Structure formats: structure tokens, C-alpha cells
Amino acid sequence: MKQRTLLREVSIKGNALHTGDSVHMTFKPAPANHGIVFRRVDLNPVVELPARVDYVCESRLCTMLRRDGVQVGTIEHLLAACAGVGIDNMIVELSASEVPIMDGSAGPLVFLLQSAGIAEQHQPRHYVRVLRPIEVSDGDKFAALYPSDSF
């Protein structure tokens, strides 16, 4: 499978769940191998936060990224929407520190992504292959990944 991005940019305005801020959010196409990057355009200079696990600083009430003291939160529904429609590369411009909550689901975000259109790129999509069982526990919490020959 090939990587995918948006055909054109699309914007929406909504309210942040935790801060209540009014947030203007724009999705923009990005080149292959770019990944999903959040861009805080309300700051000078603008700060970019890649959606990568090494930038996650909090996951209790929302998933939050932090880079150089700047953060962006409540990204989990947007990332789920991207995974659902197969978006690998995108720039997300935000006018505040949170993604707007919309109706609390990924539904409106999926609709927005589909409205922008999806473009296939020339580079192959990257996958993580689990080669051996991975298990993590913390008290009564447990998570595990196991190898499989199918998706």
C-alpha cells in the first residue's frame, strides 16, 4: 500500500474540551514520509509537534504532546480518524493548545478528512511488525501485543 495525504486543505472551528477555547483548525496536505504534524500557529514563532510517541507527555484525560515547553492536547480522536481513513501525512494547524472536541467522537473529523479528499502518494506505507510477544502491566492494568500473520 502507498502513503496517503489530503487532496486539498479544509478548516473547521470548534471549542476545546478542557480549556473551552475557541479553536480554528486547518488540515493541510503534506509530502510523503512527513507524518502527521501539529502546528501551533497561535505562537510566534510557530511550533511544530510531530504525532510521535516520544513527544507524548500525558495520557490520563487526553493524549497530549509536548515539545520545547509547547503542548497540544486531545489529539486522540483526530489520530483515530486519520487511521480510519488511511491518512499518513498531514499538517494540522491549530490556533490554540487543543484539538476541538466537536461531538466527542471521531465522526465529524472523518467527515472533514473525507471532504478534503484523499490522495495516494508514491512512497510505500510503513508498518510495525510484532516479532515476539510484548506484555506490559501496571497494577491491575495490562496490555499485550502478539505476533500474527494477518492484520
Side-chain angles (χ1 to χ4, degrees), residues 83-94:
V85 299
I87 297 293
D88 302 288
N89 302 299
M90 180 174 71
I91 296 166
V92 181
E93 291 188 344
L94 293 167

Side-chain angles (χ1 to χ4, degrees), residues 44-58:
N44 187 9
V46 169
V47 176
E48 293 189 345
L49 298 104
R52 294 187 354 206
V53 69
D54 47 326
Y55 289 104
V56 174
C57 66
E58 178 66 48

Side-chain angles (χ1 to χ4, degrees), residues 80-132:
C82 289
V85 299
I87 297 293
D88 302 288
N89 302 299
M90 180 174 71
I91 296 166
V92 181
E93 291 188 344
L94 293 167
S95 67
S97 64
E98 275 187 84
V99 169
I101 193 63
M102 311 312 290
D103 72 353
S105 77
L109 301 168
V110 167
F111 175 80
L112 195 61
L113 292 168
Q114 290 174 329
S115 297
I118 298 172
E120 189 171 277
Q121 298 174 302
H122 297 292
Q123 296 294 317
R125 182 174 278 165
H126 303 282
Y127 293 93
V128 172
R129 184 167 181 203
V130 179
L131 300 176
R132 59 180 174 76

Side-chain angles (χ1 to χ4, degrees), residues 57-78:
C57 66
E58 178 66 48
S59 61
R60 184 176 297 191
L61 297 175
C62 72
T63 302
M64 187 176 300
L65 305 173
R66 183 177 298 132
R67 181 179 192 184
D68 300 329
V70 175
Q71 58 194 37
V72 62
T74 321
I75 63 169
E76 58 275 10
H77 295 164
L78 175 54

